Amino acid sequence: MNNRLKILRAERDWSQQHLADALGVSRQSVNAIETGRFDPSLPLAFRIADIFELPIEAIFLRD
Amino acid sequence: MSRTNKNPAYRRYMWRGAAVSAAYVASVFLATLVVPDGAKTAPLYLVVAMLPGIFIGLWVWVMARLLIELDDEYLRFVEVQKALIATGVTLAWTGAWGLAELFLPDLPKVPIFFVFPAWCLALCIGQIIVHLRSGDAGGAP
């Protein structure tokens, strides 16, 4: 699954650590999701969507 | 400090692991002191000789608790990957060596209690493989 996490984070000038703290996960988790090595669970995907104030489908894209 | 290092599940894992390891070493020393060389099986000797096995079981519980208590799903995924690699390596090695012992009587016999330390060693191999594959998961102990 592709995602726009890195772009959205860059637009807000957030570091991976900043986003990780906001989500309550490790920086490694944010890095793994951004690079497509790990697909988040639905609850975590909803938390990400809430933080960016966007619908999930605006962040996560089909392959 | 990253969240990986300050995750309470890892802190509990380290403390529990250290306590169980110390108890395991103490129980091995106790068995060495109490059970004489070449002793015949007696109830007391059997209990003392089996005591370290209890702490091996507790180590398995410590590792299971880590997987249960880790609230970060990616770190849990990494730990599960490491455990799967360790299990695969250990099963392959013990299976292959056991068959080789069967066919080659001159081959040194590996005592069965080495299986658990071998699994722990294989966990380190799992850590290296996962780290090399991800390039960013090495923070987990």
Side-chain angles (χ1 to χ4, degrees):
Chain A
M1 189 167 62
N2 297 316
N3 68 76
R4 299 177 57 236
L5 209 58
K6 191 171 184 177
I7 298 163
L8 294 169
R9 189 171 56 76
E11 283 173 358
R12 287 156 181 80
D13 200 22
W14 291 349
S15 66
Q16 284 186 343
Q17 189 63 58
H18 176 86
L19 179 57
D21 290 342
L23 289 167
V25 299
S26 62
R27 188 195 57 77
Q28 286 92 333
S29 297
V30 172
N31 185 267
I33 295 167
E34 275 189 7
T35 52
R37 285 185 285 111
F38 180 71
D39 290 333
S41 65
L42 206 48
L44 180 54
F46 272 115
R47 290 216 303 274
I48 293 169
D50 288 345
I51 283 173
F52 286 109
E53 297 177 325
L54 289 168
I56 283 182
E57 60 269 29
I59 302 170
F60 296 98
L61 316 163
R62 292 174 208 264
D63 281 330
Chain B
M1 186 190 278
S2 74
R3 188 177 167 83
T4 310
N5 295 326
K6 67 182 177 187
N7 192 305
Y10 279 124
R11 281 207 304 268
R12 284 194 291 271
Y13 170 75
M14 298 301 280
W15 279 110
R16 288 170 182 160
V20 171
S21 297
Y24 171 77
V25 171
S27 68
V28 170
F29 273 111
L30 181 73
T32 310
L33 287 173
V34 172
V35 183
D37 288 344
K40 294 203 171 179
T41 306
L44 172 68
Y45 293 163
L46 189 63
V47 168
V48 174
M50 296 282 282
L51 201 57
I54 293 171
F55 296 110
I56 290 176
L58 273 175
W59 242 116
V60 175
W61 174 81
V62 168
M63 288 184 277
R65 290 307 305 172
L66 173 67
L67 296 181
I68 292 165
E69 292 173 5
L70 260 180
D71 55 359
D72 187 308
E73 59 191 65
Y74 173 68
L75 296 181
R76 191 167 55 235
F77 169 71
V78 166
E79 294 302 326
V80 169
Q81 275 188 316
K82 282 160 52 180
L84 282 174
I85 291 168
T87 304
V89 168
T90 308
L91 288 176
W93 174 72
T94 52
W97 193 269
L99 279 171
E101 280 184 8
L102 197 67
F103 292 117
L104 304 167
D106 294 342
L107 211 61
K109 302 282 183 282
V110 177
I112 201 162
F113 68 82
F114 273 128
V115 171
F116 185 71
W119 188 87
C120 293
L121 199 65
L123 206 57
C124 298
I125 296 170
Q127 167 86 33
I128 293 166
I129 291 171
V130 169
H131 180 75
L132 289 176
R133 275 170 40 183
S134 71
D136 195 37

